Amino acid sequence: MTYEAVIGLEVHAQLLTESKIFCGCSTRFGAAPNQHTCPVCLGLPGVLPVLNKKVVDFALRAALATHCTITPTSRWARKNYFYPDLPKGYQISMYELPIAEHGYVEVAVQDQAKKVRLTRIHMEEDAGKSIHDAEAGASLVDLNRTGVPLLEIVSEPDIRSATEAGSYLRSLRALLQYIEVCDGNMEEGSLRCDANVSIRPRGSTEFGTRTETKNLNSFRAVEKAIEHEIQRQTEVVEAGGRVVQETRLWDADREVTRPMRSKEFAHDYRYFPDPDLLPLVVDQAWVEHVRTDLPELPAARRARFMHDYDLPAYDAEVLTARKDVADYFEASLRACPATPKVVSNWVMDSVLRFVKEEKLDAALKIETWPCPPERLGALIGLIQDGTISTTIAKTVYEEMRRTGHSPEEIIESKGLRQVSDTDTLQAAIAEVLAANPDKVEAYRGGKEKLLGFFVGQVMRATQGKANPQMVNTLLRQKLSQ
Ligand code: ADP
Ligand code: MG
Ligand code: ZN
């Protein structure tokens, strides 16, 4: 019997508003504990929440970007549970009337576009943070995060493998970054993911019992945890057992999931409409206003790159996967006369390798990259006008990265200007030919493949600075004499 995995993800995205969802406290990350708090987010008696309109704008952006239907009148609900980092004893969330439903995210699965449907998107407030390992015999509570706005984005169980889950999460993160509602930093917890996993005999149309795994704070953790969970459930079923519905925790050190608590059910939370907040009414005018404000989304940008710049689908896909990379590409292109494909090669090769090496987070602004796009554009321009060769340009690029100097400065100070002077090149060629009489003879006897060898030698003799096209032409002339 072979089994198929069924996966649904619940994603919590922390919104990039400056203040919290129901009070004016700052949302900034990294402050000293309990500095960003007030009577509202501390849950003191006698205070009332006031909704931050920006949070609704952001939720609507996300809803439109994921093709959701927007609920004209949605409602806030109290989700009741007891925990030390939840001072009110309930979390303000949305329950039976979320702000948006029935959307989808397009995900590339083995070169094909697959739609992963969204069940719902709703807004809620974050809880505080319990710190269990800082002090022996005590747990500490930091309430800075209490009341920070979140979007919960729930997918339908449409995902079928760990890799697909990773692709879905990457696409969703890119979308949220494009519309600038979330920085997508999983390590800092601004994007968090719970994975619901079940298995069923391949071909079956019914769903099996699921587990929900929490504490997934990297793409690797999401993929590893799902793989592990599929494996574990398969072993349970094959040994004649039954999967128990429960909440599990990912142990990143040991790379296993372990039981955390038996699954809680909705009725455990005693959801009820929050009497302190009015129903949320979003009219068509508001939706249209948000829609006109929406930037170009990845799918549209990909299509435009293929159409306007005549780029292959692969290039368009890679360049638009991150908004900052796509912006970088377009800014570089504006700054030089080369064709889009030439600029694309540079960005995909040198720039993306750098992004990977330095683990540049997508949250980092393009202006802070050590080699700004105008400089890359200028560098490519210098190849085009024959000042330097492509090989030398790679060296110059590394220097630009390292020193932050302009390409012109580096070329001058290192004497890297391309040698296109015929006399100098003729002299270098004469030396190379004189040093290799046997090869010259072989070439003239028909071994024309040796041209590459001669070009290489001349390039070496000129420390890579010779103009390769000219070397080629001059060598051919000389050898046919
Ligand atoms: P809960 O609050 O109980 O976790 P939610 O409705 O918030 O319920 O989330 C349910 C998540 O579990 C969704 O992402 C859904 O797609 C997924 N899911 C539901 N049933 C299954 C199943 N049998 N196998 C895997 N995932 C499932
Ligand atoms: Mg859940
Ligand atoms: Zn506050």
Side-chain angles (χ1 to χ4, degrees), residues 20 22-26 36-42 146:
K20 294 186 177 180
F22 298 119
C23 64
C25 290
S26 167
H36 299 319
T37 54
C38 74
V40 173
C41 55
L42 289 175
T146 311

Coordinates of all heavy atoms in Angstrom, one line a residue, residues 20 22-26 36-42 146, ligand 3:
K20 N 0.3 49.1 17.4 CA -0.4 47.8 17.6 C -1.9 47.9 17.1 O -2.3 48.9 16.7 CB -0.4 47.5 19.1 CG 1.0 47.2 19.7 CD 1.0 46.7 21.1 CE 2.4 46.4 21.6 NZ 2.4 45.9 23.0
F22 N -4.9 47.4 18.6 CA -6.0 48.1 19.4 C -5.5 49.2 20.4 O -6.3 49.6 21.2 CB -6.8 47.0 20.2 CG -7.5 46.0 19.3 CD1 -7.2 44.7 19.4 CD2 -8.4 46.4 18.3 CE1 -7.8 43.7 18.5 CE2 -9.1 45.5 17.5 CZ -8.8 44.2 17.6
C23 N -4.2 49.6 20.2 CA -3.7 50.7 21.1 C -2.6 51.4 20.3 O -2.2 50.9 19.2 CB -3.2 50.2 22.4 SG -1.8 49.1 22.3
G24 N -2.0 52.4 20.9 CA -1.0 53.2 20.1 C 0.4 52.8 20.4 O 1.3 53.4 19.9
C25 N 0.6 51.6 21.1 CA 2.0 51.2 21.4 C 2.7 50.8 20.2 O 2.2 50.3 19.2 CB 1.9 50.0 22.4 SG 1.3 50.4 24.0
S26 N 4.1 51.0 20.2 CA 4.9 50.7 19.1 C 5.0 49.2 18.9 O 5.0 48.4 19.9 CB 6.3 51.2 19.4 OG 7.2 50.7 18.5
H36 N 7.0 48.4 25.4 CA 5.9 48.9 24.5 C 4.6 48.3 25.0 O 4.0 47.4 24.4 CB 6.2 48.4 23.1 CG 7.5 48.9 22.5 ND1 7.8 50.2 22.7 CD2 8.4 48.4 21.8 CE1 9.0 50.4 22.1 NE2 9.4 49.3 21.5
T37 N 4.2 48.9 26.2 CA 2.9 48.4 26.7 C 2.1 49.6 27.3 O 2.7 50.6 27.5 CB 3.1 47.4 27.9 OG1 4.0 48.0 28.9 CG2 3.8 46.1 27.4
C38 N 0.8 49.3 27.4 CA -0.1 50.4 28.0 C -1.3 49.7 28.6 O -1.4 48.4 28.5 CB -0.5 51.3 26.9 SG -1.8 50.6 25.8
P39 N -2.2 50.4 29.3 CA -3.3 49.7 30.0 C -4.1 48.8 29.0 O -4.6 47.8 29.4 CB -4.1 50.8 30.5 CG -3.1 51.9 30.8 CD -2.1 51.8 29.7
V40 N -4.2 49.2 27.7 CA -5.0 48.4 26.8 C -4.4 47.1 26.5 O -5.0 46.0 26.7 CB -5.3 49.2 25.5 CG1 -6.0 48.3 24.5 CG2 -6.1 50.4 25.8
C41 N -3.1 47.1 26.1 CA -2.5 45.8 25.7 C -2.0 45.0 27.0 O -1.8 43.8 26.9 CB -1.3 46.0 24.7 SG 0.0 47.1 25.1
L42 N -2.0 45.7 28.1 CA -1.8 44.9 29.4 C -3.1 44.3 29.9 O -3.0 43.5 30.8 CB -1.2 45.8 30.5 CG 0.2 46.3 30.2 CD1 0.6 47.3 31.3 CD2 1.2 45.1 30.2
T146 N 2.4 41.7 22.8 CA 1.0 41.6 23.0 C 0.2 42.7 22.2 O 0.5 43.9 22.4 CB 0.7 41.8 24.5 OG1 1.5 40.9 25.2 CG2 -0.8 41.4 24.8
Ligands
ZN3 ZN -0.6 49.2 24.3

